[in-house]
Amino acid sequence: GDSVTQMEGPVTLSEEAFLTINCTYTATGYPSLFWYVQYPGEGLQLLLKATKADDKGSNKGFEATYRKETTSFHLEKGSVQVSDSAVYFCALLNAGNNRKLIWGLGTSLAVNP
Amino acid sequence: DSGVTQTPKHLITATGQRVTLRCSPRSGDLSVYWYQQSLDQGLQFLIHYYNGEERAKGNILERFSAQQFPDLHSELNLSSLELGDSALYFCASSVVSRWGTGELFFGEGSRLTVL
């Protein structure tokens, strides 16, 4: 079945460092891909999405490109801030009649000043 | 503020008891999803309702049940509670779409502690 694999955390970075959180997927057809973020004490919120191959989603300085050839959707940010400390979830919406979100396990990011 | 409201925010109860968690979706959203988040299991999809009808079931135990009412609010009932049921329970709603777009709006969650 469809699945999402994220790099294990926690990831600890200093402020202004470059961030990459890897996400790869297995899916039939052409899924849509998402990154959600969960700040401490809050629910998840959509960070960015991409609906077809080579699409780039971006928001709040974060970017991710839908790479069908490598089945990846890695999250990047050029310069992280302390306020980016959160848990990041990669997810896919599978195609077909049984559309549902398939979630990764989440990657915790801690940014130190 | 996502527009999704969950009550109660915190709940402490004993093993064997029953609790009800409530969710009000964003105005106009017909789909409601319930998720369980725990440290060891991550984010687990429980159930999805669309306009009052059950659309999909995930890893929901038989001791758990849910329903969506005509006013579109939803309730998750957890019975015969066990220590392992302690978790954060999230409700999410989505834009009007029978099959879902993947864009979910989450509430702040209900933290259940079973002692």
Side-chain angles (χ1 to χ4, degrees), chain A residues 68-90:
Chain A
K68 191 161 178 62
E69 63 275 15
T70 55
T71 62
S72 65
F73 193 54
H74 304 322
L75 182 68
E76 297 182 337
K77 187 175 185 182
S79 176
V80 293
Q81 305 300 311
V82 172
S83 58
D84 294 326
S85 299
V87 180
Y88 294 82
F89 292 88
C90 184

Side-chain angles (χ1 to χ4, degrees), chain B:
Chain B
D1 182 4
S2 67
V4 177
T5 303
Q6 287 188 249
T7 57
K9 289 195 182 337
H10 301 278
L11 191 55
I12 301 174
T13 188
T15 54
Q17 296 297 305
R18 171 190 171 95
V19 298
T20 297
L21 310 180
R22 182 188 169 99
C23 169
S24 295
R26 289 189 326 155
S27 176
D29 284 356
L30 298 183
S31 274
V32 170
Y33 304 77
W34 285 98
Y35 284 86
Q36 179 193 60
Q37 186 178 39
S38 59
L39 284 176
D40 56 343
Q41 295 288 324
L43 192 64
Q44 297 286 318
F45 166 66
L46 297 179
I47 199 162
H48 169 209
Y49 276 85
Y50 173 79
N51 201 21
E53 293 185 3
E54 182 184 301
R55 292 293 306 136
K57 263 186 177 179
N59 300 323
I60 188 166
L61 300 172
E62 285 191 9
R63 300 183 285 109
F64 296 0
S65 65
Q67 54 184 329
Q68 186 179 27
F69 295 87
D71 67 352
L72 301 177
H73 91 271
S74 178
E75 292 181 356
L76 178 67
N77 299 296
L78 315 175
S79 62
S80 303
L81 286 168
E82 303 175 358
L83 295 178
D85 297 328
S86 296
L88 198 50
Y89 291 85
F90 284 109
C91 168
S93 70
S94 68
V95 297
V96 178
S97 169
R98 181 177 178 86
W99 298 109
T101 65
E103 297 186 42
L104 302 186
F105 295 85
F106 283 79
E108 293 188 348
S110 294
R111 181 170 295 283
L112 173 66
T113 302
V114 183
L115 300 176

Side-chain angles (χ1 to χ4, degrees), chain A residues 13-84:
Chain A
L13 296 173
S14 297
E15 210 165 19
E16 299 184 2
F18 185 85
L19 168 71
T20 299
I21 299 179
N22 290 337
C23 172
T24 57
Y25 68 90
T26 302
T28 54
Y30 301 93
S32 297
L33 300 173
F34 305 83
W35 277 101
Y36 279 79
V37 58
Q38 183 180 21
Y39 297 104
E42 298 184 13
L44 285 74
Q45 54 185 275
L46 180 65
L47 181 59
L48 53 84
K49 68 173 184 178
T51 58
K52 61 182 187 297
D54 299 325
D55 266 3
K56 177 186 285 188
S58 61
N59 186 25
K60 299 182 180 180
F62 290 89
E63 293 182 341
T65 302
Y66 188 158
R67 302 280 189 205
K68 191 161 178 62
E69 63 275 15
T70 55
T71 62
S72 65
F73 193 54
H74 304 322
L75 182 68
E76 297 182 337
K77 187 175 185 182
S79 176
V80 293
Q81 305 300 311
V82 172
S83 58
D84 294 326

